[in-house]
């Protein structure tokens, strides 16, 4: 269950941790919010990706191919890809595989077709509004659904009522980190050291508990040469 906290609440918590509740002229809310956004992205978001896994923030983007078109625009909030599923029809999708830059021209020249019996490779290119995906091997046909499973960038808090998922109270890590930045500006180095130590304790706790999100090891599938397995789309 999500537990949202507003930007205004997070700013107040930073002021409380640093004893600067009334210092709104010295350090305005906008400056603290800027510190918080950096801390949420670098100290909380990336920590959870590293300790729990990219699937924690997994999202899906769907598009359909056009005849002879190899490149397609992707959402501007793309951070990293997880997997690419291609639906040629039927009950199961087929997994596209990422190709190396050195192989891009070789793959285009191989006389593969476009369908479940042939391999399909992809590569992400660009970033932000210019983020795109390149599909190679065979000439794309129209109307094929492609699902990109990806990790979006950490959301940026802009307005005071914007919210961040507090998860299990882990936004406190960002609050403490932002508090350290505020204390450095204020010259309160002893308080900054204390907050940094407190943050390190919470980070260690998340790293230790992160793997507990999953029960046991993931199941692996062994491919058998000469057989077409559901979800793979081709064989050796």
């Amino acid at each position: 269950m999500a537990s949202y906290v507003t930007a205004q609440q997070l700013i107040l918590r930073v002021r409380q941790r640093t004893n600067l509740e009334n210092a709104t002229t010295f350090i305005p809310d906008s400056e603290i919010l800027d510190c918080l956004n950096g801390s949420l992205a670098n100290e909380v978001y990336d920590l959870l990706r590293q300790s729990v896994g990219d699937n924690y923030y997994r999202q899906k983007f769907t598009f359909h191919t056009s005849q002879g078109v190899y490149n397609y625009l992707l959402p501007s909030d793309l951070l990293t890809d997880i997997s690419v599923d291609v639906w040629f029809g039927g009950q199961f999708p087929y997994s596209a595989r990422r190709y190396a830059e050195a192989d891009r021209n070789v793959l285009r020249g191989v006389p593969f077709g476009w369908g479940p019996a042939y391999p399909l490779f992809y590569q992400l290119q660009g970033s932000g509004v210019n983020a795109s995906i390149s599909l190679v091997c065979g000439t794309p046909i129209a109307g094929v659904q492609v699902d990109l499973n990806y990790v979006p960038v950490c959301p940026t808090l802009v307005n005071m009522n914007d919210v961040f998922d507090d998860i299990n109270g882990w936004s406190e890590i960002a609050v403490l980190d932002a508090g350290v930045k505020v204390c450095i500006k204020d010259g309160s180095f002893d308080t900054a050291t204390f907050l940094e130590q407190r943050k390190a304790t919470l980070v260690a706790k998340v790293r230790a508990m992160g793997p507990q999100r999953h029960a046991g090891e993931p199941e692996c599938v062994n491919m058998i040469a000469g057989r077409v397995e559901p979800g793979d789309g081709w064989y050796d």
Side-chain angles (χ1 to χ4, degrees), residues 185-208:
K185 178 176 180 177
D186 185 47
S188 304
F189 300 113
D190 289 343
T191 303
T193 300
F194 173 79
L195 295 180
E196 188 66 51
Q197 292 172 344
R198 176 59 181 160
K199 186 191 77 173
T201 299
L202 293 180
V203 168
K205 179 181 178 181
V206 172
R207 285 178 175 164

Side-chain angles (χ1 to χ4, degrees), residues 80-206:
T80 60
D81 69 305
I82 297 175
S83 59
V84 176
D85 299 328
V86 184
W87 296 83
F88 288 111
Q91 185 177 359
F92 300 103
Y94 294 80
S95 298
R97 305 181 183 198
R98 190 161 60 91
Y99 68 84
E101 179 67 14
D103 296 330
R104 68 192 186 283
N105 293 323
V106 174
L107 291 173
R108 282 181 179 269
V110 174
F112 287 134
W114 182 271
Y118 302 97
L120 180 65
F121 294 93
Y122 77 94
Q123 184 188 82
L124 300 186
Q125 300 175 347
S127 62
V129 296
N130 296 316
S132 66
I133 184 172
S134 171
L135 303 175
V136 300
C137 282
T139 302
I141 61 177
V144 175
Q145 177 178 320
V146 180
D147 294 333
L148 170 71
N149 301 300
Y150 75 103
V151 179
V153 297
C154 180
T156 299
L157 302 178
V158 178
N159 302 306
M160 291 301 158
N161 59 347
D162 287 348
V163 295
F164 185 84
D165 190 348
D166 201 22
I167 310 169
N168 197 36
W170 291 343
S171 66
E172 178 69 9
I173 295 172
V175 168
L176 294 171
D177 189 67
V180 170
K181 301 171 188 176
V182 170
C183 285
I184 291 174
K185 178 176 180 177
D186 185 47
S188 304
F189 300 113
D190 289 343
T191 303
T193 300
F194 173 79
L195 295 180
E196 188 66 51
Q197 292 172 344
R198 176 59 181 160
K199 186 191 77 173
T201 299
L202 293 180
V203 168
K205 179 181 178 181
V206 172

Side-chain angles (χ1 to χ4, degrees), residues 42-57 170 173 202-214:
N42 297 319
E43 301 296 330
V44 179
Y45 200 82
D46 284 349
L47 174 64
L48 292 177
R49 290 182 58 220
Q50 180 185 57
S51 302
V52 182
D54 277 342
N55 278 320
Y56 199 91
Y57 292 107
W170 291 343
I173 295 172
L202 293 180
V203 168
K205 179 181 178 181
V206 172
R207 285 178 175 164
M209 296 182 66
Q212 296 181 21
R213 174 179 170 87
H214 304 285

Side-chain angles (χ1 to χ4, degrees), residues 221-229 232 234-236:
V221 178
N222 295 318
M223 301 301 297
I224 301 174
R227 291 183 58 189
V228 178
E229 300 292 336
D232 182 56
W234 63 295
Y235 57 91
D236 296 329

